[in-house]
Amino acid sequence: QISFGSLLEVGCGYSKQLKNLHSPGIFLIGCDFSRPQLLKGKEFFLPMVSRVVEADAEHLPFMEKTFDAVMSSAVILHNKYPKAQRIIAEMIRVSRKFLIHNEDTDVTFSRYGYDMAKTYRAMGFRIVTSREIPCSPDPERTQFTIAELPSPYTRYRPEEIPLKYHK
């Protein structure tokens, strides 16, 4: 549904999603705070060896609007509200066009149940798609969302992210 020439995955872990997205002509880079996960990724996905960066999602080491798309997969859901706001603000800062989230929406001891589509709608972003993740063991507790950043580019402070909860 969307096209992009570059993508950053925030919280890439061992590069599972990057390996799935790998395609000629697309520049992929991943970042994660876990050095062991990044090292495991070097074994798992050899073409990505030089394209992973050890970094904190709250302080991404990239300039504004560096990537066409910025993605998270099971990252936002594990962070308390203020930290999740800071991560999303950083993702917006380094993205030129799209934000992609593959997140669970249930609430548990380690999950906060955010609704990324509701959040971005409240910010005036266009929702390209938002649906359950069909291959999940429990699709009703998942959300795959692609949001398009509005034009002109706006930088958001974390406290301006009106993070919404699911249901």
Side-chain angles (χ1 to χ4, degrees):
Q1 289 184 345
I2 64 170
S3 65
F4 52 86
S6 60
L7 178 134
L8 168 67
E9 182 182 7
V10 174
C12 67
Y14 66 94
S15 300
K16 175 184 169 186
Q17 300 299 334
L18 292 173
K19 186 172 183 177
N20 291 334
L21 292 167
H22 183 26
S23 179
I26 297 177
F27 178 72
L28 300 173
I29 190 162
C31 69
D32 202 288
F33 71 91
S34 171
R35 182 172 292 173
Q37 284 289 304
L38 295 172
L39 292 172
K40 185 68 176 171
K42 288 182 179 186
E43 297 170 23
F44 179 71
F45 188 29
L46 293 177
M48 293 301 298
V49 168
S50 64
R51 294 186 186 163
V52 293
V53 175
E54 186 176 348
D56 181 336
E58 294 179 79
H59 307 285
L60 296 173
F62 306 104
M63 295 177 63
E64 288 184 0
K65 302 191 298 183
T66 300
F67 302 95
D68 294 333
V70 179
M71 176 180 127
S72 72
S73 183
V75 171
I76 306 300
L77 65 94
H78 291 296
N79 292 280
K80 291 182 180 177
Y81 200 92
K83 184 171 183 172
Q85 287 177 299
R86 290 189 296 271
I87 294 169
I88 293 165
E90 276 293 276
M91 291 176 69
I92 292 169
R93 184 183 67 78
V94 301
S95 180
R96 279 192 287 269
K97 189 147 185 167
F98 298 108
L99 297 164
I100 304 167
H101 296 282
N102 188 38
E103 303 280 344
D104 290 349
T105 58
D106 58 331
V107 177
T108 68
F109 71 95
S110 68
R111 294 181 180 172
Y112 293 91
Y114 302 120
D115 188 317
M116 300 314 300
K118 282 183 188 175
T119 298
Y120 291 130
R121 278 190 193 102
M123 297 174 72
F125 291 24
R126 182 175 81 85
I127 303 303
V128 177
T129 190
S130 185
R131 62 182 186 266
E132 295 174 347
I133 303 166
C135 60
S136 172
D138 192 356
E140 292 178 2
R141 295 176 184 227
T142 65
Q143 185 184 58
F144 174 76
T145 301
I146 301 174
E148 185 173 6
L149 276 71
S151 186
Y153 172 80
T154 302
R155 187 169 184 174
Y156 292 87
R157 293 187 315 272
E159 61 274 11
E160 296 174 320
I161 309 294
L163 195 54
K164 305 293 184 191
Y165 291 99
H166 193 261
K167 298 188 182 179

